Each structure stands twice: as structure tokens, then as C-alpha cells.
Amino acid sequence: SIPTYDLTLKLSKNEHRYYHSSIDFQRRDILNLFPSEKKIIINKSSQQIYLEAKKILNKCWPQISELYDEIIYGFHPIEIGRTEESYSSPSAFGIIFFRMDSSDPLKWAEIMVHELSHHLLFILTSINGFLPDTDWSKMVFSRIRNEMRPLIGLYHGVIAQLFMLNLAYRVKEKAPSENYKRIIETFKNRFQEDKQSISFYFETLL
């Protein structure tokens, strides 16, 4: 049967500081989330740096670049009043919201893979049996946030950090740039701590 993402919506609602607090609970088929014709919607003033970021993905991580093309069709400025640097929501599947205040193409590429990881989890966690049966709203400590957040948020955070670190190491290997060091310095140690935390909760709660 075609997977639905009711569960993803319910889980992500618990992460009120990361996703929209009000989410459409309408039952949808995952396959219907993908438009038949996709064309990236982005401000004209941002098109050049967006294309430069996409070139980085094409060169350093072509598989993820292709997956990005299949899933993402909107790249929009973040709404006034929101404090996040970027975010995605299952109620706006296929769209990335970003502050767009950086002139570094690698930063844009970092946001692309970060938010793509959330979209992939939106799909995967909607499939019955993918997520273990536990209290995903349980509040746990997140090192990257330096605060308590729901377990589902910690899970999303660990996967997002993994994607960003992968990008950094691929850039180091295939497109040398000093900017990759910022990603590694920001996330490496925090990722290890959050990874240990999610492993601990999986082992003790399941």
C-alpha cells in the first residue's frame, strides 16, 4: 500500500520549536506529494548563488543532488518573525525555507542537504513500522541546540548533522575550500554527543 504521513505530521507537531505549531492533519498519499512537473521557485536576486550551491552538490555529492531534484521544488525566504535559519515542514512538503543572508554558496549547499534530510525523514517515518514504537514526544537533551527537545527532534537533528558533515568532507576531498572547516568545527563534536544520546534512548526505551 502507498504510505501516508499522518504519523509524521503528529510527531513533528510535538517539535513545536522546529516545525509549524499548526499542521494540516489531512491524510495524504506520499506519491501525491510529488508534483508531476517540478521547477525550482526562487527569487531572481538569489538565483546565481543558488546555482553555485547546486554546482557544489553536483560535483561533490551527485547522488544527493539528483535526489534533491526529485523532491525539492521550492526554495523560499523565511517568513518575517521566525527565528530559525532554515526549516522544512511536512505540511509544505518539497519546499525549503531559508533566511538567505549568506553570500557563501557552500552555506546554501549546507542548507540544501540539511533540509533535504528532513524531507527524507518525512517520507520514511510515514511508513508503518519504520519508527520504533516509543514516546517520541519525550523531552531529551540536544547538544546541538543546548536545550531539551522532543526525541523526534533529536532524531531529525542527528540525521541533519550527518548530512551536513558528509557534505563538508566531500567538499574537502573534491572541491577544496577552507569554508568546509566551519561545518566540521560546528557540528563534529556535537554530532557525536547527539548520536550517543539517540543511541542511548533507542537502547533504553525500546
Side-chain angles (χ1 to χ4, degrees):
S1 61
I2 298 175
T4 58
Y5 75 153
D6 294 29
L7 178 61
T8 304
L9 290 171
K10 293 174 183 177
L11 290 173
S12 60
K13 187 175 183 182
N14 291 326
E15 177 58 303
H16 55 86
R17 295 194 62 184
Y18 191 76
Y19 301 109
H20 286 297
S21 59
S22 59
I23 293 178
D24 176 14
F25 278 80
Q26 179 182 1
R27 188 175 182 85
R28 306 184 191 182
D29 292 332
I30 284 294
L31 294 184
N32 290 336
L33 295 176
F34 296 87
S36 57
E37 294 184 9
K38 295 190 292 293
K39 183 178 180 181
I40 288 291
I41 304 170
I42 187 170
N43 289 349
K44 289 184 178 180
S45 61
S46 303
Q47 285 180 348
Q48 185 57 43
I49 191 170
Y50 178 90
L51 292 175
E52 291 176 14
K54 194 60 170 61
K55 286 180 181 178
I56 292 175
L57 289 190
N58 289 338
K59 181 175 182 179
C60 300
W61 206 351
Q63 302 91 337
I64 287 297
S65 183
E66 291 177 8
L67 195 56
Y68 178 96
D69 291 339
E70 290 295 323
I71 294 176
I72 304 301
Y73 63 89
F75 200 89
H76 299 303
I78 207 163
E79 304 98 314
I80 296 175
R82 295 194 69 109
T83 59
E84 306 98 322
E85 181 177 51
S86 66
Y87 77 90
S88 299
S89 168
S91 61
F93 187 86
I95 300 175
I96 291 173
F97 297 89
F98 176 36
R99 194 169 299 283
M100 298 187 182
D101 57 356
S102 173
S103 59
D104 178 11
L106 180 55
K107 179 64 179 180
W108 285 57
E110 174 191 337
I111 294 298
M112 289 175 177
V113 300
H114 175 160
E115 298 303 333
L116 176 63
S117 75
H118 293 310
H119 278 78
L120 293 175
L121 282 180
F122 293 154
I123 297 172
L124 293 172
T125 57
S126 73
I127 301 173
N128 291 334
F130 180 84
L131 281 178
D133 184 16
T134 190
D135 181 10
W136 288 94
S137 64
K138 177 182 176 64
M139 298 301 290
V140 297
F141 182 74
S142 167
R143 179 66 180 85
I144 191 63
R145 289 284 192 85
N146 198 32
E147 64 180 10
M148 302 296 286
R149 69 186 303 193
L151 181 59
I152 187 63
L154 178 63
Y155 182 44
H156 267 265
V158 166
I159 301 302
Q161 291 176 67
L162 179 62
F163 269 60
M164 290 184 286
L165 285 168
N166 260 279
L167 174 65
Y169 285 113
R170 289 168 184 271
V171 168
K172 177 183 178 181
E173 177 183 352
K174 298 184 178 182
S177 165
E178 291 298 307
N179 291 343
Y180 79 86
K181 294 180 179 179
R182 173 190 54 79
I183 301 176
I184 296 175
E185 292 171 357
T186 300
F187 296 109
K188 185 176 181 180
N189 292 335
R190 296 173 182 178
F191 166 73
Q192 292 298 334
E193 291 184 38
D194 280 348
K195 179 174 176 290
Q196 290 177 1
S197 295
I198 199 74
S199 298
F200 168 79
Y201 288 112
F202 276 7
E203 292 171 0
T204 58
L205 295 177
L206 305 184

